[in-house]
């Protein structure tokens, strides 16, 4: 989709006659059915007038011009795409990103500078980084730039037409040297240099032929991109499949491959609890489908997990690794296989309060996903729903499949690859939280290789995790949302909101934190950045990740009522406003949240309880090593008595411990 396409002569005429913004306005309204903002109209008038002056100065009068060109399966639009031929008669296109900035300040982010946009100063991508990503994305996904014997060469630059360089300008910081060399930045003082750059790329004109070729081509990831992502995943030892995971992978891969060749849509549902390897399998399936030439996408509803994955695999992977809400503009079955991880996080709609009007869709999110793909694979755990607006469930998926007349296959993953392979631990957590009745009533602390311990203080939790990190393991501390979550202070330092007696620590940074102090990871990188250990993670940053050792602070939002023999949610102790508003669901959601946090550890989990009754209940469900010293304590006698009275099917070893 684009809002304007024509000759450079027509563009110059429309700009000179002050008609360009009106033409964009009409196209915008015809497509989106509502009016663009006054700010966008003003931006078109100012920035495109500046661009027209450069085009005229460079004598680019036989060229194609595309304005507001939307990148596939994103809401991003390129400002300007100029088309023509270089002096050697090679077909060329140049992306020009336009900015109205007049200054910027440094940022400690690797790819950011700080500038005043949207009514306040905030960290934003350096213009060269931004436009270079657009160049790479379009090169990877548009057939005109790779899938012909004579592909169009694509270049990019940024033009800050109101900007004048200052001394030691952050725009020219050494960390941006490499990307500026690839996709240069020009300011209002650089008109001659920008004109020379465009002439070097487009001097021979005949741009309308190039423009038509772009418009007649289509979007599909290049084989080069698919090989890059596939090989990167396969080469990462973290994603090696073992035993039952490989069996599940084979069944899914065959079903996805065969379903691609069928006329009707196909849905595959993979059910599995924490640690059964859903994400590992999904990534391996995607890698091998890409290497076989299938257009496979991987999507989740988690920003932290998605961005961490993109960072590991590389920025180019954003063309294939997306969010559930990335498919509002997708064409019918333009994706061969769509792998939806953590499908319990599917929402009613892809729109939220931050979604621009032009990006809003009237369709249900599940319908967008099914429409976009020939084969859809959903990895799901019904018990990981932690917010009221997350509605993904097996029943919901099947209902949607009926609307699309899609065939449905179901598989279940049982093998446990987290918690040191201890299915007993996961079953015990499910049983103890009242989510599932099974044979794992008691946790046998002396028989398991998984290190689960209840600690007497939050300091002890942190000290134990720190020891494990010093030994070379990974570890994080998490908590229920039982404390306020403040913005950083004016220096970018995090506020120590999590206060337990004399223990004070900050939450991880908010996802929309504007400026962070040195060494503080962004929310999306908390799980992967070593500095994340100094902050407490909530479920929204921890879900989807695993660590060797995890600490969990179970807050007073969960209370065990011994008189009624069940858990009671206490919303007055919660600071999660969305969950608190979920009338009738609060307790269930809090139980799911703690199930998620308690199952993040690969080798161990250390827990501190703020609610005394909840602690006593968990301890009553543990089979301790009853040495003589412990038996004589009041707590030891209470635990032995409680278990003996309430669990008649417990083996006789309790009799000898009384």
């Amino acid at each position: 989709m684009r809002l304007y396409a024509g000759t450079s002569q027509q563009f110059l005429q429309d700009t000179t006659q002050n008609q360009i913004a009106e033409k964009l306005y009409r196209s915008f309204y015809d497509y989106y059915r509502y009016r663009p903002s006054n700010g966008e109209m003003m931006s078109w008038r100012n920035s495109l007038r500046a661009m027209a002056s450069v085009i005229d100065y460079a004598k680019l009068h036989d060229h194609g011009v595309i304005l507001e060109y939307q990148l596939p399966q994103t809401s991003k639009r390129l400002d300007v795409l100029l088309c023509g031929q270089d002096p050697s008669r090679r077909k060329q296109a140049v992306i020009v990103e336009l900015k109205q900035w007049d200054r910027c300040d440094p940022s400690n982010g690797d790819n950011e500078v700080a500038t005043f946009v949207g009514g306040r100063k905030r960290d934003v991508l350096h213009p060269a980084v931004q436009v270079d990503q657009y160049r790479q994305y379009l090169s990877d996904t548009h057939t005109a730039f790779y899938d012909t014997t004579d592909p169009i060469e694509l270049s990019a630059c940024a033009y800050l037409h109101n900007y004048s360089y200052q001394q030691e300008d952050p725009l020219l910081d050494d960390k941006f040297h490499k990307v500026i060399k690839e996709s240069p930045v020009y300011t209002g003082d650089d008109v001659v240099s920008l004109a020379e750059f465009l002439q070097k790329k487009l001097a021979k004109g005949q741009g309308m032929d190039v423009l038509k070729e772009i418009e007649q081509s289509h979007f599909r990831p290049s084989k080069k991109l698919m090989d890059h992502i596939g090989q990167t995943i396969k080469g990462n030892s973290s994603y090696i499949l073992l035993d039952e995971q490989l069996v599940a992978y084979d069944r899914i891969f065959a079903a996805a491959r065969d379903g691609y060749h069928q006329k009707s849509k196909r849905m595959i549902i993979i059910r599995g609890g924490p640690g059964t390897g859903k994400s590992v399998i999904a990534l391996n399936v995607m890698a091998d489908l890409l290497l076989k030439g299938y257009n496979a996408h991987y999507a989740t509803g988690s920003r932290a997990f998605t961005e961490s994955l993109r960072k590991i695999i590389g920025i180019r992977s954003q063309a294939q690794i997306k969010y559930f809400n990335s498919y509002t503009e997708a064409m019918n079955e333009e994706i061969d296989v769509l792998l939806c991880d953590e499908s319990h996080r599917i929402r009613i709609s892809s729109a939220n309060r931050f979604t621009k009007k032009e990006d809003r869709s009237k369709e249900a999110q599940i319908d967008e996903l099914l429409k976009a793909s020939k084969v859809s694979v959903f990895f799901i755990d019904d018990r990981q729903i932690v917010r009221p607006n997350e509605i993904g469930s097996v029943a919901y998926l099947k209902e949607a499949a009926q609307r699309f007349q899609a065939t449905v296959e179901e598989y279940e993953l049982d093998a446990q690859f987290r918690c040191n392979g201890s299915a007993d631990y996961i079953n015990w957590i499910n049983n103890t939280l009242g989510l599932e009745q099974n044979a794992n009533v008691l946790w046998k602390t002396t028989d398991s290789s998984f290190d689960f311990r209840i600690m007497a203080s939050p300091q002890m939790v942190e000290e134990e995790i720190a020891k494990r990190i010093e030994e070379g393991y990974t570890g994080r501390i998490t908590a229920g949302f039982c404390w306020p979550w403040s913005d950083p202070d004016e220096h970018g330092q995090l506020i120590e909101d999590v206060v337990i007696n004399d223990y004070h620590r900050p939450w991880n940074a908010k996802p929309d934190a504007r400026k962070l102090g040195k060494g503080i990871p962004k929310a999306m990188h908390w799980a992967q950045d070593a500095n994340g250990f100094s902050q407490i993670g909530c479920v929204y940053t921890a879900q989807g990740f695993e660590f060797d050792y995890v600490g969990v602070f179970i807050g007073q939002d969960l209370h065990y009522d011994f008189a009624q023999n069940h858990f009671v949610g206490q919303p007055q102790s919660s600071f999660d406003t969305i969950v608190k508003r979920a009338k009738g669901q609060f307790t269930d959601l809090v139980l799911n949240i703690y199930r998620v946090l308690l199952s993040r550890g690969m080798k161990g989990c250390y827990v501190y309880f703020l609610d005394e009754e909840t602690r006593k209940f968990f301890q009553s469900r543990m089979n301790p090593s009853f040495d003589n010293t412990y038996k004589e304590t009041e707590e030891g006698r209470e635990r032995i008595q409680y278990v003996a009275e309430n669990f008649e099917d417990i083996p006789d070893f309790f009799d000898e411990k009384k």
Side-chain angles (χ1 to χ4, degrees):
M1 190 280 295
R2 81 308 191 257
L3 297 185
Y4 180 98
T7 67
S8 52
Q9 287 280 30
Q10 183 64 53
F11 169 67
L12 291 175
Q13 180 179 325
D14 289 338
T15 307
T16 302
Q17 296 176 356
N18 204 27
Q19 294 179 348
I20 191 66
E22 294 302 319
K23 288 192 173 184
L24 290 170
Y25 174 96
R26 288 195 293 270
S27 294
F28 187 100
Y29 184 81
D30 288 343
Y31 186 80
Y32 295 115
R33 306 312 302 170
Y34 76 95
R35 296 171 178 80
S37 68
N38 291 333
E40 190 151 28
M41 289 285 290
M42 187 64 68
S43 174
W44 288 336
R45 290 191 181 99
N46 294 339
S47 293
L48 292 176
R49 185 180 296 114
M51 187 73 242
S53 296
V54 175
I55 290 174
D56 195 29
Y57 181 84
K59 295 182 170 53
L60 304 180
H61 297 154
D62 183 26
H63 296 73
V65 178
I66 300 176
L67 304 180
E68 299 295 329
Y69 186 66
Q70 187 166 339
L71 293 173
Q73 294 154 10
T74 79
S75 60
K76 304 298 183 181
R77 300 196 303 267
L78 309 181
D79 291 333
V80 180
L81 188 65
L82 297 175
C83 309
Q85 295 183 358
D86 67 14
S88 299
R89 297 291 181 184
R90 291 175 299 189
K91 294 178 292 186
Q92 298 279 350
V94 180
I95 303 168
V96 184
E97 175 68 19
L98 301 173
K99 298 291 186 189
Q100 298 191 85
W101 306 357
D102 56 11
R103 63 166 291 128
C104 69
D105 294 319
S107 165
N108 61 1
D110 291 341
N111 299 301
E112 289 81 24
V113 291
T115 193
F116 196 84
V117 292
R120 60 182 172 87
K121 183 180 287 188
R122 65 179 78 194
D123 280 5
V124 295
L125 283 179
H126 186 284
V129 175
Q130 181 183 358
V131 77
D132 194 63
Q133 286 188 351
Y134 291 168
R135 178 195 61 80
Q136 186 68 69
Y137 190 96
L138 201 57
S139 297
D140 282 334
T141 59
H142 198 300
T143 57
F145 302 106
Y146 71 82
D147 195 25
T148 66
T149 55
D150 183 24
I152 301 167
E153 294 186 20
L154 185 63
S155 305
C157 66
Y159 182 32
L160 286 65
H161 51 87
N162 292 333
Y163 200 99
S164 293
Y165 287 121
Q166 51 188 301
Q167 190 174 8
E168 297 183 358
D169 200 302
L171 207 62
L172 303 178
D173 191 283
D174 287 344
K175 65 183 177 181
F176 302 121
H177 175 75
K178 184 177 179 180
V179 70
I180 289 175
K181 187 175 181 181
E182 179 67 37
S183 296
V185 174
Y186 300 97
T187 70
D189 302 323
D190 297 328
V191 171
V192 174
S193 298
L194 173 56
E196 290 174 350
F197 174 80
L198 295 176
Q199 287 171 338
K200 181 180 178 181
K201 299 292 183 181
L202 305 166
K204 289 299 182 180
Q206 297 188 9
M208 286 305 295
D209 292 337
V210 179
L211 185 151
K212 289 175 183 177
E213 185 175 337
I214 293 173
E215 297 232 288
Q216 291 169 2
S217 300
H218 60 280
F219 294 108
R220 183 178 177 83
S222 68
K223 186 67 166 62
K224 187 176 179 180
L225 173 66
M226 293 193 286
D227 286 347
H228 166 74
I229 297 174
Q231 294 291 359
T232 302
I233 293 173
K234 300 303 286 186
N236 189 320
S237 60
S238 299
Y239 303 136
I240 301 301
L241 297 175
L242 300 172
D243 300 335
E244 288 87 348
Q245 287 181 324
L246 184 56
V247 174
Y249 158 87
D250 286 337
R251 295 165 72 183
I252 298 164
F253 185 85
R257 178 195 59 209
D258 296 344
Y260 165 77
H261 299 286
Q262 294 179 349
K263 290 184 178 180
S264 61
K265 288 184 181 291
R266 192 165 185 171
M267 176 187 287
I268 303 165
I269 299 173
I270 313 298
R271 291 182 289 137
T276 50
K278 298 185 295 297
S279 297
V280 175
I281 296 168
L283 288 167
N284 273 272
V285 169
M286 181 181 78
D288 285 337
L289 286 169
L290 289 171
L291 292 171
K292 292 288 186 181
Y294 294 94
N295 180 14
H297 281 212
Y298 175 96
T300 80
S302 167
R303 183 183 182 192
F305 189 73
T306 301
E307 294 303 322
S308 292
L309 194 58
R310 287 174 173 178
K311 186 176 182 180
I312 292 169
I313 298 175
I315 194 63
R316 290 176 66 191
S317 65
Q318 64 182 318
Q320 306 299 116
I321 297 176
K322 295 185 172 291
Y323 298 98
F324 291 150
N325 64 0
S326 298
Y327 300 95
T328 57
E329 299 289 333
M331 302 295 291
N332 185 49
E333 296 189 353
E334 68 175 85
I335 300 158
D336 298 335
V337 181
L338 179 55
L339 298 142
C340 300
D341 201 1
E342 295 198 341
S343 297
H344 37 271
R345 301 198 68 174
I346 288 173
R347 302 189 177 194
I348 296 174
S349 169
S350 291
N352 57 47
R353 63 192 177 96
F354 300 110
T355 307
K356 296 179 180 178
K357 289 184 179 180
E358 63 263 31
D359 300 330
R360 292 181 179 270
S361 169
K362 295 180 180 179
E363 289 187 288
Q365 190 172 83
I366 182 62
D367 290 353
E368 294 168 356
L369 298 171
L370 289 174
K371 176 184 174 183
S373 57
K374 296 177 183 177
V375 179
S376 51
V377 186
F378 296 92
F379 297 83
I380 192 165
D381 177 3
D382 286 0
R383 295 195 187 96
Q384 284 199 50
I385 295 174
V386 297
R387 305 194 93 178
N389 55 357
E390 295 174 355
I391 60 171
S393 68
V394 172
Y396 183 70
L397 295 177
K398 289 181 177 179
E399 179 184 321
Q402 289 183 343
R403 291 198 298 273
F404 283 82
Q405 298 181 326
T407 58
V408 179
E409 298 176 48
E410 279 189 81
Y411 302 104
E412 184 156 10
L413 302 172
D414 294 317
Q416 178 58 231
F417 292 87
R418 196 182 290 161
C419 305
N420 237 14
S422 178
D424 287 348
Y425 173 72
I426 295 296
N427 290 337
W428 176 69
I429 289 296
N430 288 340
N431 198 324
T432 302
L433 292 174
L435 301 172
E436 174 187 282
Q437 290 187 340
N438 55 54
N440 295 94
V441 178
L442 287 179
W443 176 242
K444 300 179 181 179
T445 58
T446 56
D447 297 341
S448 177
S449 58
F450 185 74
D451 185 11
F452 177 83
R453 283 185 261 169
I454 295 175
M455 299 299 203
S457 70
Q459 288 90 341
M460 290 180 65
V461 172
E462 183 171 305
E463 289 167 4
E464 204 64 34
I465 297 284
K467 289 178 185 176
R468 303 288 84 82
I469 291 175
E470 287 179 6
E471 294 167 0
Y473 297 105
T474 59
R476 290 291 182 275
I477 302 175
T478 64
F481 204 160
C482 297
W483 294 268
W485 193 1
S486 302
D487 292 321
D489 66 18
E490 59 183 359
H491 304 294
Q493 298 302 308
L494 301 179
I495 307 300
E496 293 186 332
D497 287 317
V498 180
V499 179
I500 307 171
N501 300 322
D502 57 349
Y503 179 86
H504 297 224
R505 292 293 181 273
W507 287 112
N508 59 257
K510 284 187 174 183
D512 59 350
R514 290 174 286 175
K515 182 180 178 181
L516 295 173
K518 187 176 181 180
I520 299 175
K522 293 183 177 181
M524 66 185 75
H525 299 141
W526 169 84
Q528 302 293 324
D529 192 307
N531 291 324
F533 176 63
S534 61
Q535 300 112 39
I536 309 301
C538 67
V539 68
Y540 306 119
T541 42
Q543 191 173 28
F545 294 99
E546 57 190 28
F547 317 100
D548 292 327
Y549 292 88
V550 66
V552 183
F553 299 157
I554 296 184
Q556 292 180 331
D557 55 348
L558 187 66
H559 169 76
Y560 190 80
D561 187 335
F562 278 94
Q564 300 295 325
N565 287 322
H566 63 71
F567 283 104
V568 177
Q570 300 189 136
Q572 69 274 17
S573 297
S574 173
F575 282 82
D576 192 330
T577 56
I578 293 177
V579 173
K580 286 173 69 171
R581 290 198 297 265
K583 296 180 179 179
Q585 290 181 271
F586 182 83
T587 300
D588 291 339
L589 292 172
V590 169
L591 289 169
N592 284 350
I593 287 168
Y594 285 121
R595 176 179 180 265
V596 169
L597 297 181
L598 290 165
S599 60
R600 296 304 94 191
M602 296 284 286
K603 298 179 180 297
C605 177
Y606 307 135
V607 184
Y608 174 75
F609 292 90
L610 278 84
D611 183 82
E612 187 68 12
E613 298 302 292
T614 305
R615 178 189 64 78
K616 288 180 179 179
F617 177 69
F618 264 75
Q619 287 183 320
S620 75
R621 290 295 189 103
M622 297 174 67
N623 166 26
S625 53
F626 286 95
D627 56 39
N628 288 328
T629 302
Y630 181 80
K631 283 197 302 180
E632 298 305 318
T633 65
E634 181 179 357
E635 181 182 68
R637 289 194 297 270
E638 285 181 359
R639 289 174 65 184
I640 294 170
Q641 184 66 28
Y642 179 82
V643 172
E645 291 176 354
N646 288 277
F647 304 111
E648 298 178 357
D649 56 341
I650 300 304
D652 292 340
F653 60 73
F654 272 100
D655 293 333
E656 63 189 63
K657 303 299 180 185
K658 293 181 183 178

